[in-house]
Amino acid sequence: MMFLTFLLGLAINFMGYIPPGNINLTLVQIAINRGTKQALYFIIAFSCIEFFFTWFIIHAANWLAGQIKLDIIIDWVMIVLFTTLALVTWINRKKAPTTDYSKYDSIKYGIVLGFVNPMQIPFWMICGTYVIAHGWITTGTLPLIIFSLGSAAGAFLCLFIYSRVAGYFQSKFELSTRAINTCIAALFFAFALYHIIKQLQLLFWA
């Protein structure tokens, strides 16, 4: 039963990180600019934080669901986050990759983004509530720890695949760092614009 709980957490969070977002696009950028070793440091650090993040959100799901303005707050945090990431990527798009990065830089980056990951709040509020309501996991301490470990493993596995695919495409098609950074910056700007339009619609047409 505990193994199935682990697999459930792994499968759900693996699928959660498949769509492009701030985490996997940042990872792609790290893998291409800094190499797969630095990307692995980022993934390990991020996955460790994901364990605690999942555990906390599932425990706080009922309270968070009662916060009326939570979705608005998340949208504005995402606007700031995506805009910041887009600007940083755009400004550094012409810089050539270097090999003198410390592993602690990637580890700290993974920890920071592990905590600043607002999109996971509604994701786990929905998925966590669903699996608990259907009796797929129980709310005991040990099952939730096992489930959160599976969640961390799912994030690790999906992001690891992202990093390997990014490295493969760069080596196979000799993509320039500038072109990749420009595309990633454009995606970040697009995500920020989406959340801005969403809030404007709620403000003027709700």
Side-chain angles (χ1 to χ4, degrees):
M1 184 63 183
M2 289 295 120
F3 182 67
L4 293 177
T5 300
F6 177 87
L7 287 181
L8 182 62
L10 187 153
I12 291 175
N13 215 26
F14 180 91
M15 292 185 291
Y17 279 104
I18 291 176
N22 60 309
I23 303 302
N24 41 32
L25 288 180
T26 299
L27 172 66
V28 168
Q29 188 180 14
I30 291 173
I32 290 173
N33 294 343
R34 304 184 182 186
T36 54
K37 189 174 182 179
Q38 292 292 325
L40 185 60
Y41 291 140
F42 174 90
I43 295 169
I44 292 172
F46 178 85
S47 299
C48 290
I49 301 302
E50 187 74 1
F51 164 79
F52 296 103
F53 198 88
T54 302
W55 187 87
F56 172 78
I57 294 300
I58 291 181
H59 269 282
N62 291 332
W63 179 83
L64 289 169
Q67 306 308 303
I68 299 175
K69 296 183 178 180
L70 181 63
D71 57 336
I72 298 175
I73 294 172
I74 290 174
D75 274 336
W76 283 109
V77 171
M78 294 306 299
I79 289 169
V80 173
L81 181 61
F82 280 131
T83 302
T84 302
L85 290 172
L87 289 173
V88 171
T89 303
W90 180 263
I91 291 170
N92 295 303
R93 71 190 186 282
K94 296 181 181 179
K95 290 185 178 180
T98 60
T99 57
D100 59 350
Y101 288 104
S102 167
K103 66 178 181 180
Y104 298 108
D105 291 334
S106 297
I107 291 173
K108 286 186 288 187
Y109 205 7
I111 291 173
V112 170
L113 286 185
F115 283 112
V116 187
N117 191 15
M119 287 299 291
Q120 284 299 89
I121 296 175
F123 175 80
W124 278 120
M125 282 175 60
I126 295 170
C127 294
T129 303
Y130 184 87
V131 296
I132 291 173
H134 285 73
W136 294 354
I137 63 171
T138 59
T139 54
T141 300
L142 182 59
L144 288 183
I145 289 175
I146 299 299
F147 183 80
S148 298
L149 284 172
S151 168
F156 178 92
L157 182 59
C158 187
L159 294 178
F160 181 77
I161 293 173
Y162 256 98
S163 70
R164 299 298 293 181
V165 170
Y168 171 79
F169 274 101
Q170 185 191 30
S171 62
K172 192 74 173 178
F173 300 102
E174 298 182 354
L175 300 173
S176 71
T177 302
R178 180 178 179 180
I180 292 168
N181 287 341
T182 300
C183 291
I184 292 176
L187 283 172
F188 281 142
F189 277 124
F191 290 148
L193 183 61
Y194 163 77
H195 287 283
I196 292 172
I197 292 173
K198 180 181 175 182
Q199 285 304 308
L200 290 175
Q201 286 179 329
L202 291 174
L203 183 62
F204 294 106
W205 290 284

